[in-house]
Amino acid sequence: MTVTVDGPDFIALQVRDVEAAATFCEQHLGMRRAPASPPGAVVFTTEPIPFAVREPLPGVHLDDVERPGLGVALWFRTADAQALHDRLAAAGVPILSPPRDSPFGLTFTFTGPEGYAITAHGG
C-alpha cells in the first residue's frame, strides 16, 4: 500500500509576539479564536483549515531573516477582497500589491503579522 498525503491540515505562523499577532488577525481579518489552544499559540476557527500564530520552534530565530515566510505563498479566502483591501488600507496595513483580477477572483497582497506577505482572494 502506498501512503499518500491528503493536503494541508493545519497552518501556523511562527511569530515573536503571539498576542500582538493574534490581535492583528482578530482586528484586521475578523478571525475568531478557537475555544482552546496549546501553550504558546493562538488557534483560530478558520475553515476548512485551522490557522494559528505560535511561538517560534526551537532553533528558529526570526530576527535572523529579512522577512519571515520568504518563499512560501500564503493565501486567505474572503467573501469580498475589495472590501478587505479597503479596510486594511484605511487601517494603515501595508499593501504589497494592489487588487487585480486573477483566476481565483480579485486578489491583493498585504503585510500580515510581523511582516509575513499574505494574499487575499475572492469576491
Side-chain angles (χ1 to χ4, degrees):
M1 178 179 160
T2 301
V3 176
T4 62
V5 173
D6 295 329
D9 191 45
F10 186 82
I11 297 171
L13 297 181
Q14 297 178 72
V15 296
R16 294 172 200 86
D17 187 333
V18 172
E19 193 53 41
T23 298
F24 178 95
C25 292
E26 290 173 311
Q27 290 181 350
H28 295 294
L29 306 179
M31 293 183 179
R32 291 190 169 87
R33 293 178 191 228
S37 294
V42 173
V43 178
F44 298 95
T45 58
T46 53
E47 295 286 336
I49 299 170
F51 173 76
V53 291
R54 61 157 296 139
E55 294 174 345
L57 294 168
V60 174
H61 305 285
L62 295 174
D63 292 331
D64 294 345
V65 296
E66 181 179 335
R67 188 183 84 206
L70 189 61
V72 174
L74 180 59
W75 287 49
F76 288 157
R77 182 182 62 244
T78 180
D80 190 336
Q82 186 66 57
L84 178 61
H85 167 272
D86 295 348
R87 187 173 77 214
L88 292 174
V93 174
I95 304 298
L96 300 176
S97 67
R100 66 187 180 285
D101 289 322
S102 80
F104 307 102
L106 190 69
T107 66
F108 73 96
T109 303
F110 63 95
T111 300
E114 299 197 15
Y116 284 93
I118 299 173
T119 299
H121 71 97

